[in-house]
Amino acid sequence: MISTVEDPCAAEDPQVRSAVDEVLTGGRRNGVRIQSVDTVAGTIFPAEMYADTGLAYGLGLGPEELGKLDASAADLYASYTEMLPILTTDTANKSGTYFGRMVSWPGRTGGGINQIADRITRLRRSRDTNRAQRNLEDIAVGGEAELLADCAGLQVYAASDRRERGFPCLVHVDLTLYEGRLSMAATYRHQYLVTKAYGNLLGLSRLLGFLAQHSGFEVGELMVNATFADAEQGTYTKQGVADLLAAARDGS
């Protein structure tokens, strides 16, 4: 299943958000752990921890403003990695978190490779040289990645890896620069369409906005490829899923 968001940083549709929030009551339902939209989104980009300066990278940015912009990112990375030891005490986070793997690979503790900072540095080089097209940036999330200085990321899976569900469902994020716009493609091996999909889209959109802001490019499209899309009818029933879709479409 492939989903495309043409304007990832546009305001949310309150009708759709309300319909999703209505069914995502915290706790467990039929053995499935239910989390709020913001909790799911925060696993990909913890927006509540980011002090947005309102500044964006560009050749006209003065040293003081650039310092503020860079400090806002550095504070986010530091605050999150300090929290990692606590976050990983949760059974669901025993292998790390998505954002943790992005800012401190492999994501269980601080001090790992910061893929986000590295990608921003590379993208800024393109911005500084007026390079409007580039497809050399990716962010490894799943598998065992060898993140080398001259390689954006190589994911290697063991032949015995037969996991279909569980962390990480999100395995790869690819960044493409085209005509001065930064777009993102994310691959999920398993996507829960009711309990996770909206939060995942929101988190990825916020991450893309952050990357664009700190590299000086306009925001392009977001594309999500779910190799297995789960409508969760076993959790919410076929009629429950239909009711959710109706509420999102017409507010009934």
Side-chain angles (χ1 to χ4, degrees), residues 168-240:
C169 290
L170 171 63
V171 294
H172 187 79
V173 174
D174 185 76
L175 303 173
T176 298
L177 181 60
Y178 182 69
E179 294 183 348
R181 292 161 58 86
L182 184 64
S183 295
M184 174 184 290
T187 298
Y188 283 82
R189 62 181 175 189
H190 192 110
Q191 172 91 296
Y192 292 99
L193 297 181
V194 177
T195 56
K196 300 291 186 181
Y198 190 97
N200 288 337
L201 287 170
L202 189 60
L204 289 167
S205 295
R206 290 171 175 173
L207 175 61
L208 176 55
F210 175 82
L211 290 166
Q213 175 188 11
H214 283 263
S215 60
F217 292 105
E218 296 295 323
V219 175
E221 292 185 345
L222 168 63
M223 189 274 284
V224 175
N225 175 31
T227 58
F228 184 90
D230 189 343
E232 300 183 76
Q233 293 180 6
T235 302
Y236 287 95
T237 75
K238 185 176 181 179
Q239 185 59 51

